[in-house]
């Protein structure tokens, strides 16, 4: 028996079937390796949780089509338990609990076809759990593996004749297992497989299979001593015609079980004295990996993974049709049904210093202050994500404010999908189920044609979307992504499918692979928050405004770089559209997108603009030394971006930039703009001609009253107007006396102006807007950062109450 403190889970391994040669599918792309297809199908098994079923925890794809399955494992097998005779009550308990497990699997449309005594586990309280019950499902009925699935001894006759996917076959297997227990023997222990198959096929001529088996094994007396009710149940399970066998649900309703139901039900386990073992199994496995657990290393120790000299596998002849003639496949590639328990000693040792209160965290409770990890937030994110003690303490707070507060530090990888949905205010409401994701439903022929066109575009895009990721590249990943995209198109008749939507959806599918509704609603909310109106059929005005604001904010934070890009005519339209249309998910690999979006989710619709500027800042030295052609080449194959630096820089810029400076009109507005906000009296054409962004009178007033030291106001009205009324601490530089042809601050004739401009938000104010625009452009050309123009000019300040102006 496996000690529960030594092991809670175990691993098995096998090889998937390889495709012959370089075979391509109907789409012209290489066929997906079977091991990747297995990986995609296996994800659904991880969602199965039932007291009589071992929980699937992980499926790992190794080299050469190797697949490793990690699953809950504990107790002893029925095969070992049955070495001693079991009482009738014990057999009925096992019978009932296996029926419970089969009934649950039947409800979720899974057949086992792999049911045998060594895959039935019993714990110390004789509770039953089925192990390895998903092998048939994840290998697509055995099509993905080169070996047969199931023990022929427990197969019904119809399976030997090619029948598949019938829960009644599992009922036969259950009947054979219970028959062995009742007759207290192992059937045909010394026969070859061919002889066993003949025995099973011969049952087709028998009227009572159970009695025939008892006679063959000299157990007729035991058979005759069994109760008639019990014998009739076994005989029903072993009926030759599948239609005559009962379903698991019918077995559970039998009077034989109802008479003593309490004794057959699951006995609650005592809580372990080791607090770690009380935690959810998926969390324990995650921490086990962080503590240095390596499944493949453990399999190597047990000899399940063996290395051989490559020269031994070199083919002797390779035919033109890709067939290979040479040495037979190594024995190490055949099915090895050994189970390797994964020990927990190292994990328990690593966590032995953790106080008991940490296992049940109340981050929101001031009585238990959360002090662990103080200072660790300064370490690189990749280190924090791999540190077991730090991740152990990253609990899951219960309020929205605390979730945002903790997410601002970092987001635990194990909880990322759920935390993202909380940050996006997602509330599951079963709306995804109501959307037709398969057939176009429209009353208009033209719309119907468009839906067909979108479907074709989706079909083309999906096989190219993040195909380096094994999960997303699996057939199951393709099917799920296709459903999500079709659902989004159907749910948004006002929008169209733009290429890039697949890349935008992929991260949410990756994190919520088994919860399509959560993935769909997250995409729904994400697009509404960050990409409102980007997917209109004519989105030119939206894109132009976005790129114009990006250009202005680049000038605001990086004036020298912005001026250089303008001088070589390298405009954002040439490189930034894929950035913002996909929120960088088409530009960066998935693991970088996850870290980038962790911060993005905490910001508003302007945050992606600062990410774009942060990317330019990392490439600044290269860009400043490059011309137009070199820049085109640079962005066609973007160099490696240090994502942590990008996140830090974008966060800094986001925090120091007044909200109105990043204002756009094509966004979802929380409230209608007031007279002192940015209003829509500025056209897109006007915006495109201005290098510097506008700041609202509201933001100017707020800064002036709270942190006046952070800004410098340059009032370019004439001297008489300035002397009559002006803002406090402002500097008057009359525009009419300026010569702006010489791009130098010295021409402004202001003492120590360079020092005064340093690290300040520079606000240009005039009662003539064209003057403010030209003057602000001059400052940018002089290399001054954080320059903006007061929206509506000086005259708007007269209306602010209480008065902020100084009158002489």
């Amino acid at each position: 028996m496996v000690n529960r403190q030594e092991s809670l889970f175990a691993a098995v391994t096998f090889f998937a079937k390889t495709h012959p040669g370089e075979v391509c599918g109907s789409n012209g792309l290489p066929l997906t390796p079977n091991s990747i297809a297995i990986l995609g199908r296996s994800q659904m098994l991880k969602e199965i949780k039932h007291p009589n079923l071992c929980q699937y925890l992980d499926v790992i794809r190794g080299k050469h089509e190797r697949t490793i399955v990690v699953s809950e494992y504990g107790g002893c097998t029925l095969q070992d338990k049955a070495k001693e005779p079991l009482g009738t009550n014990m057999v009925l308990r096992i019978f009932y609990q296996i029926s419970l497990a089969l009934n649950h699997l039947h409800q979720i449309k899974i057949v086992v076809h792999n049911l045998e005594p060594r895959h039935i586990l019993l714990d110390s309280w004789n509770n039953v759990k089925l192990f390895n019950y998903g092998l048939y499902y994840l290998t697509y009925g055995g099509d993905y593996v080169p070996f047969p699935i199931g023990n022929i001894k427990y197969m019904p006759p119809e399976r030997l004749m090619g029948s598949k996917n019938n829960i009644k076959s599992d009922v036969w297997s259950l009947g054979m297992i219970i028959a062995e227990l009742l007759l207290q023997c192992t059937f045909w222990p010394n026969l070859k497989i061919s002889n066993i198959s003949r025995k099973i096929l011969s049952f087709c001529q028998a009227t009572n299979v159970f009695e025939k088996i008892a006679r063959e094994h000299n157990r007729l007396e035991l058979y005759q001593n069994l109760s008639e009710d019990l014998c009739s149940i076994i005989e029903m399970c072993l009926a030759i015609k599948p239609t005559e066998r009962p379903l698991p649900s019918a077995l559970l309703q039998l009077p034989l079980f109802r008479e003593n139901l309490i004794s057959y039900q699951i006995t609650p386990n005592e809580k372990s004295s080791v607090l770690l073992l009380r935690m959810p199994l998926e969390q324990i496995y995650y921490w086990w990996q962080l503590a240095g657990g390596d499944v493949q290393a453990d399999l190597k120790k047990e000899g399940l993974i063996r290395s051989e000299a490559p020269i031994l596998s070199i083919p002797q002849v390779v035919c033109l049709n890709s067939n290979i003639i040479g040495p037979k496949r190594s024995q190490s590639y055949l099915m090895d049904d050994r189970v390797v328990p994964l020990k927990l000693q190292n994990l328990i040792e690593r966590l032995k210093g953790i106080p008991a209160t940490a296992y049940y965290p109340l981050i929101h409770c001031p009585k238990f202050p959360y002090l662990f990890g103080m200072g660790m937030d300064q370490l690189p994110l990749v280190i924090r994500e791999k540190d077991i003690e730090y991740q152990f303490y990253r609990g899951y707070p219960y309020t929205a404010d605390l979730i945002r507060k903790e997410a601002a530090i970092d987001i635990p990888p194990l909880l990322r999908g759920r935390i993202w949905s909380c940050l996006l205010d997602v509330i599951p409401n079963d709306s995804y189920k109501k959307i037709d994701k398969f057939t176009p439903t429209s009353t208009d022929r033209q719309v119907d044609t468009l839906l067909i066109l979108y479907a074709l575009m989706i079909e083309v895009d999906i096989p190219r979307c993040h195909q380096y990721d094994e999960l997303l590249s699996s057939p199951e990943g393709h099917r799920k992504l296709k459903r999500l995209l079709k659902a989004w198109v159907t749910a948004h008749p006002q929008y169209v499918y733009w290429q890039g939507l697949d890349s935008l959806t992929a991260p949410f599918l990756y994190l919520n692979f088994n919860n399509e509704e959560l993935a769909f609603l997250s995409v729904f909310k994400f697009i509404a928050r960050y990409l409102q109106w980007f997917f209109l059929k004519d989105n030119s005005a939206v894109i132009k405004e976005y790129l114009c604001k990006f250009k202005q904010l680049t000038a605001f934070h990086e004036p020298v770089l912005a001026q250089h890009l303008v001088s070589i005519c390298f405009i954002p339209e040439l490189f930034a559209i894929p950035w913002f249309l996909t929120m960088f998910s088409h530009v960066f690999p998935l693991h970088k997108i996850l870290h980038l979006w962790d911060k993005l989710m905490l910001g508003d619709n302007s945050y992606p603009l600062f990410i774009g500027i942060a990317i330019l800042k990392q490439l600044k030295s290269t860009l400043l030394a490059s011309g137009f052609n070199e820049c085109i080449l640079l962005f066609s194959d973007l160099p490696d971006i240090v994502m942590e630096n990008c996140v830090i820089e974008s966060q800094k810029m986001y925090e120091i930039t007044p909200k109105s400076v990043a204002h756009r009109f094509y966004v979802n507005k929380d409230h209608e703009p007031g007279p002192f906000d940015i209003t829509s009296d500025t056209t897109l054409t006007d915006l495109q001609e201005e290098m510097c962004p506008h700041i609202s009178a509201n933001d100017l007033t707020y800064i002036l009253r709270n942190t006046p030291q952070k800004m410098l106001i340059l009032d370019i009205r004439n001297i008489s107007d300035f002397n009559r009324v002006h803002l406090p601490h402002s500097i008057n530089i009359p525009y009419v006396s300026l010569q702006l042809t010489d791009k130098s601050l010295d021409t402004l004739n202001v003492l120590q102006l360079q020092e005064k401009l340093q690290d300040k938000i520079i606000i240009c104010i005039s009662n003539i807007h064209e003057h403010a625009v030209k003057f602000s452009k001059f400052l940018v050309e002089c290399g001054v950062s954080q320059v903006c123009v007061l929206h509506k000019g000086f005259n708007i300040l007269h209306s602010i109450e209480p008065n902020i102006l100084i009158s002489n």
Side-chain angles (χ1 to χ4, degrees):
M1 182 178 292
V2 178
N3 188 328
R4 287 187 61 82
Q5 293 193 17
E6 290 184 357
S7 175
L8 291 175
F9 34 80
V12 295
T13 184
F14 56 85
F15 282 91
K17 189 187 298 182
T18 56
H19 295 301
E22 297 296 327
V23 180
C24 293
S26 57
N27 57 3
L29 298 173
L31 290 176
T32 304
N34 285 323
S35 56
I36 289 182
I38 289 171
L39 180 67
R41 289 181 65 82
S42 69
Q43 302 308 304
M44 193 277 282
L45 296 175
K46 291 160 68 173
E47 292 297 299
I48 299 175
K49 292 183 180 178
H50 187 274
N52 295 115
L53 295 170
C54 289
Q55 185 179 342
Y56 277 84
L57 298 171
D58 198 9
V59 173
I60 303 165
R61 181 174 180 254
K63 296 180 179 179
H64 311 301
E65 293 291 85
R66 178 182 288 280
T67 297
I68 302 168
V69 180
V70 181
S71 169
E72 179 182 4
Y73 191 88
C76 69
T77 66
L78 182 60
Q79 189 177 48
D80 293 334
K81 190 86 171 178
K83 289 179 180 178
E84 297 180 1
L86 304 177
T88 302
N89 280 339
M90 180 65 176
V91 173
L92 287 174
R93 178 184 174 88
I94 294 169
F95 194 178
Y96 181 78
Q97 293 195 17
I98 295 176
S99 299
L100 282 172
L102 292 180
N103 183 53
H104 181 75
L105 292 173
H106 180 52
Q107 289 173 355
I108 57 178
K109 299 179 181 179
I110 289 181
V111 294
V112 181
H113 285 355
N114 193 29
L115 190 62
E116 56 178 299
R118 64 190 179 91
H119 291 157
I120 300 169
L121 305 177
L122 290 93
D123 62 16
S124 303
W125 296 269
N126 291 321
N127 294 320
V128 169
K129 280 184 182 285
L130 300 192
F131 173 74
N132 205 21
Y133 55 86
L135 182 63
Y136 186 82
Y137 173 83
L138 62 89
T139 60
Y140 199 59
D143 290 349
Y144 293 157
V145 288
F147 52 83
I149 291 177
N151 188 332
I152 195 169
K153 190 185 298 186
Y154 303 97
M155 287 185 188
E158 70 270 11
R159 275 208 64 198
L160 296 180
M161 293 184 282
S163 176
K164 291 183 177 182
N165 297 321
N166 192 338
I167 188 65
K168 299 294 186 70
S169 296
D170 292 336
V171 173
W172 171 284
S173 302
L174 174 59
M176 291 292 285
I177 291 168
I178 301 304
E180 277 191 336
L181 297 178
L182 293 173
L183 298 180
Q184 300 176 13
C185 67
T186 301
F187 298 159
W188 313 299
N190 301 316
L191 288 186
K192 294 180 180 180
I193 290 177
S194 57
N195 292 332
I196 293 175
S197 61
R198 290 192 188 98
K199 288 280 187 182
I200 293 172
L201 290 173
S202 70
F203 291 154
C204 295
Q205 308 298 322
T207 56
N208 187 327
V209 174
F210 190 21
E211 182 181 353
K212 181 177 174 65
I213 292 173
R215 290 182 183 278
E216 284 186 6
H217 292 83
N218 297 319
R219 291 293 193 276
L220 185 59
E221 185 177 349
L222 270 175
Y223 168 78
Q224 292 171 341
N225 289 334
L226 296 174
S227 68
E228 291 185 8
D229 290 344
L230 185 53
C231 284
S232 65
I233 294 172
I234 304 302
E235 288 163 8
M236 283 192 298
C237 293
L238 298 180
I240 297 302
K241 294 181 180 179
T243 54
E244 295 177 359
R245 297 175 207 152
L247 287 170
S249 57
L251 290 174
L252 296 173
Q253 302 302 321
L254 291 172
L256 186 65
F257 292 132
R258 292 292 167 188
E259 291 173 0
N260 196 15
L261 187 60
I262 295 177
S263 64
Y264 303 146
Q265 291 178 336
I266 293 172
T267 304
N269 293 352
E270 295 178 6
K271 289 186 177 180
S272 172
S273 59
V274 180
L275 290 178
L276 174 68
L277 303 184
R278 300 185 187 181
M279 305 302 288
L281 204 57
E282 59 270 20
Q283 287 189 21
I284 298 175
Y285 175 67
Y286 175 67
W287 292 329
W288 177 81
Q289 290 177 302
L290 292 182
D294 188 334
V295 179
Q296 298 198 47
D298 285 358
L299 292 178
K300 284 181 180 178
K301 288 178 186 177
E302 296 296 325
L304 267 75
I305 297 180
R306 300 191 292 273
S307 300
E308 294 184 353
I311 194 171
L312 297 178
S313 61
I314 294 177
Q316 296 171 351
V317 177
V318 179
C319 303
L320 292 176
N321 62 0
S322 301
N323 289 332
I324 294 174
I325 299 173
K328 293 182 179 180
R329 201 172 197 190
S330 167
Q331 287 291 114
S332 63
Y333 283 82
L334 300 178
M335 175 62 180
D336 193 328
D337 56 11
R338 284 180 289 171
V339 178
V340 177
L342 306 176
K343 297 181 180 179
L344 299 176
Q345 286 96 327
N346 189 40
L347 174 60
I348 294 173
E349 186 69 22
R350 288 288 299 272
L351 297 180
K352 68 179 182 181
I354 302 292
T357 54
Y359 285 89
Y360 305 97
L362 294 173
I363 291 178
H364 64 292
C365 181
K367 187 177 178 181
F368 299 101
Y370 173 67
L371 300 175
F372 184 84
M374 298 295 288
M376 285 198 73
D377 55 337
Q378 303 301 317
L379 293 175
L381 183 60
V382 291
I383 294 178
R384 282 179 275 152
E385 288 191 344
K386 299 295 183 183
D387 187 279
I388 179 173
E389 286 87 358
Y390 181 76
Q391 288 299 320
F392 183 88
Y393 277 91
R394 297 298 287 150
Y396 194 54
Y398 304 129
T399 65
D401 290 341
L402 279 168
I403 288 173
R404 295 189 69 86
K405 179 183 175 183
E406 293 295 324
I409 301 171
D410 57 50
I411 294 179
L414 186 65
L415 304 172
R416 182 174 276 122
R418 283 177 282 170
I419 292 177
W420 278 13
S421 66
C422 291
L423 295 176
L424 290 169
D425 300 322
V426 169
I427 301 176
N429 54 11
D430 290 334
S431 59
Y432 181 70
K433 295 178 182 177
K434 301 173 185 176
I435 299 173
D436 186 353
K437 300 172 279 292
F438 304 98
T439 57
T441 55
S442 62
T443 57
D444 188 296
R445 182 181 177 86
Q446 181 182 3
V447 176
D448 202 25
T449 304
L450 285 174
L451 286 173
I452 294 172
L453 178 60
Y454 300 153
L456 292 174
M457 293 173 67
I458 291 170
E459 292 284 358
V460 171
D461 284 347
I462 287 174
R464 301 182 298 188
C465 180
H466 293 293
Q467 292 307 285
Y468 55 84
D469 180 79
E470 294 176 345
L471 195 57
L472 294 178
S473 66
S474 67
E476 191 63 24
H478 288 181
R479 283 189 286 271
K480 287 176 178 287
L481 185 56
K482 181 178 178 181
R483 287 197 294 267
L484 287 171
L485 294 175
K486 285 191 172 183
W488 190 88
V489 170
T490 304
H492 295 84
Q494 74 276 27
Y495 288 151
V496 299
Y497 177 83
W498 282 92
Q499 286 187 323
L501 184 61
D502 54 332
S503 297
L504 199 64
T505 306
F508 293 105
L509 175 59
Y510 176 81
L511 295 176
N512 303 285
F513 200 83
N514 290 321
N515 193 336
E516 286 185 45
E517 181 182 24
L518 197 60
F520 172 76
L521 293 176
S522 297
V523 175
F524 191 100
K525 291 277 190 175
F526 185 85
I527 291 176
R529 180 182 295 183
Y530 299 103
L531 292 164
Q532 180 73 356
W533 296 307
F534 265 65
F535 294 93
L536 290 170
K537 185 177 182 180
D538 181 7
N539 62 358
S540 57
V542 183
I543 295 288
K544 286 177 182 177
E545 184 204 31
Y546 204 96
L547 296 179
C548 181
K549 185 56 65 174
F550 176 58
K551 184 178 177 181
Q552 289 185 345
L553 285 174
T554 303
F556 186 83
H557 288 286
E558 288 294 326
V560 175
L561 178 58
Q563 184 61 27
H564 173 71
L565 296 178
V566 169
S567 67
I568 63 174
C569 300
F570 193 65
I571 57 177
E573 283 81 352
L574 297 173
F575 63 91
I577 292 177
W579 290 8
F580 301 122
L581 190 62
T582 67
M583 285 295 111
F584 308 95
S585 60
H586 187 68
V587 183
F588 297 121
L590 199 57
H591 69 279
K592 289 190 174 184
I593 287 298
L594 298 180
H595 290 157
L596 188 65
W597 284 13
D598 283 350
K599 291 298 181 186
L600 175 65
M601 298 287 180
L602 298 169
D604 59 22
N605 56 72
S606 68
Y607 195 92
L609 295 163
F610 300 103
I611 295 173
I613 300 170
I615 295 171
L616 293 182
K617 287 185 75 169
Q618 282 201 36
L619 303 173
K620 182 176 179 179
S621 58
T622 305
L623 290 171
L624 290 175
S626 302
F628 179 85
N629 292 334
E630 290 83 1
C631 288
I632 290 289
L633 291 173
L634 180 70
F635 282 92
S636 64
D637 186 15
L638 198 66
D640 187 39
I641 299 295
V642 181
M643 192 51 62
E644 190 158 3
N645 293 346
C646 181
V647 168
I648 292 171
E649 286 296 324
S650 61
Q651 185 71 21
K652 286 180 181 177
M653 290 186 284
Y654 175 74
E655 290 173 354
I656 66 173
T657 305
K659 296 302 178 187
S660 59
V661 169
H663 176 270
R664 292 186 299 113
F665 295 107
Y666 291 104
V667 293
N668 276 327
K669 297 179 178 65
D670 297 330
H671 59 274
E672 288 300 316
F676 304 116
D677 292 319
I678 303 290
T679 51
S680 57
D681 50 0
T682 303
T683 66
L684 180 59
T685 303
D686 294 335
L687 203 63
Q688 288 175 321
E689 292 175 353
E690 298 177 15
M691 177 165 278
C692 296
H694 291 198
I695 188 171
S696 69
N698 269 336
D699 276 350
L700 182 147
T701 306
Y702 179 82
I703 299 172
L704 184 65
R705 287 173 175 163
N706 293 278
T707 54
Q709 72 280 4
K710 290 185 177 181
M711 75 173 180
L712 181 65
I713 299 170
L714 300 182
D715 191 331
I716 62 173
R717 295 175 299 144
N718 59 51
I719 296 175
S720 60
D721 289 342
F722 180 81
N723 289 335
R724 189 180 305 113
V725 61
H726 59 269
L727 284 166
H729 313 298
S730 59
I731 298 175
N732 183 225
I733 306 176
Y735 183 81
V736 293
S737 63
L738 297 177
Q739 295 292 328
L740 302 181
T741 53
D742 184 10
K743 310 303 181 186
S744 172
L745 293 177
D746 295 337
T747 62
L748 302 180
N749 295 319
V750 178
L751 291 175
Q752 297 180 329
L753 181 59
Q754 185 73 50
E755 289 77 8
K756 293 177 181 178
L757 297 172
Q758 195 72 28
D759 298 325
K760 300 281 180 64
I761 297 173
I762 314 303
I763 304 176
C764 301
I765 298 180
S766 176
N767 47 16
I768 301 174
H769 182 64
E770 290 76 13
H771 291 175
V773 170
K774 291 178 181 178
F775 183 69
S776 62
K777 182 180 179 183
F778 167 79
L779 292 177
V780 171
E781 290 171 342
C782 292
V784 180
S785 61
Q786 301 190 88
V787 178
C788 55
V789 175
L790 177 62
H791 186 66
K792 292 187 178 180
F794 186 86
N795 293 332
I796 190 67
L797 302 177
H798 290 289
S799 305
I800 294 177
E801 295 290 344
N803 184 35
I804 60 172
L805 298 174
I806 298 174
S807 301
N808 293 332

